[in-house]
Amino acid sequence: MVLEAIDHDERGGLKTPVAVFGYTKMRRGISFRSSGRVPTHMLMNHGRGHNLSTVLQTLGRATFNGRSLLKANGIENVTILTTYNDFRACDKLMTFIDAVATRAKEDGISFKDAFAGEVTKPHTHEADFLQATSREVCSYRG
């Protein structure tokens, strides 16, 4: 792997910055990390044709489960530069997902009922991701 070679190069090692371009490779699950390096910064600006699921998937590639390695390298958080609307929609979508899981577990209701929200207990404004974006939620395969 190219990153492993860079990381172990005596001329720079982990001090060598690495920039990755090409969202399609990043969003499709190709890893941009090595045993000693994880992404620290991300620039994300998808065009209007991309759905919210794609935006969230790409964002998740940088905010993965590698926090311990990130901290071991002296970085507290991944820095992301993106549009306000995409960040807000993704933040609200994650709040919605957490609310659905909590509601299903605590109220002992089905996923379907928790997802739809009960009339007497609607989802909060913080979880209303549909109001935060004009993007389609996901692609449909038929």
Side-chain angles (χ1 to χ4, degrees), residues 13-138:
L14 289 173
K15 294 180 182 177
T16 303
V18 175
V20 177
F21 298 91
Y23 76 91
T24 54
K25 296 297 182 195
M26 192 166 205
R27 78 178 169 113
R28 299 303 277 160
I30 295 174
S31 180
F32 293 96
R33 55 186 295 179
S34 67
S35 60
R37 179 192 305 263
V38 292
T40 59
H41 293 74
M42 180 180 197
L43 173 65
M44 185 182 76
N45 188 21
H46 288 312
R48 291 183 357 205
H50 294 276
N51 61 51
L52 184 57
S53 177
T54 298
V55 173
L56 185 64
Q57 180 68 24
T58 305
L59 190 62
R61 290 283 161 222
T63 58
F64 50 91
N65 294 324
R67 188 165 302 278
S68 60
L69 188 53
L70 193 68
K71 289 187 177 192
N73 289 334
I75 308 289
E76 281 297 312
N77 297 296
V78 175
T79 301
I80 298 170
L81 178 62
T82 191
T83 65
Y84 171 77
N85 286 342
D86 281 348
F87 181 80
R88 185 169 156 244
C90 288
D91 185 48
K92 285 179 175 279
L93 179 54
M94 292 309 300
T95 300
F96 175 78
I97 291 168
D98 289 343
V100 168
T102 299
R103 180 175 288 168
K105 184 177 181 181
E106 290 179 357
D107 295 353
I109 59 177
S110 71
F111 176 81
K112 180 181 176 184
D113 290 341
F115 185 83
E118 299 174 61
V119 174
T120 59
K121 193 176 180 185
H123 292 290
T124 65
H125 173 70
E126 290 78 20
D128 190 358
F129 66 92
L130 293 174
Q131 295 298 319
T133 186
S134 59
R135 294 184 185 275
E136 290 182 337
V137 175
C138 60

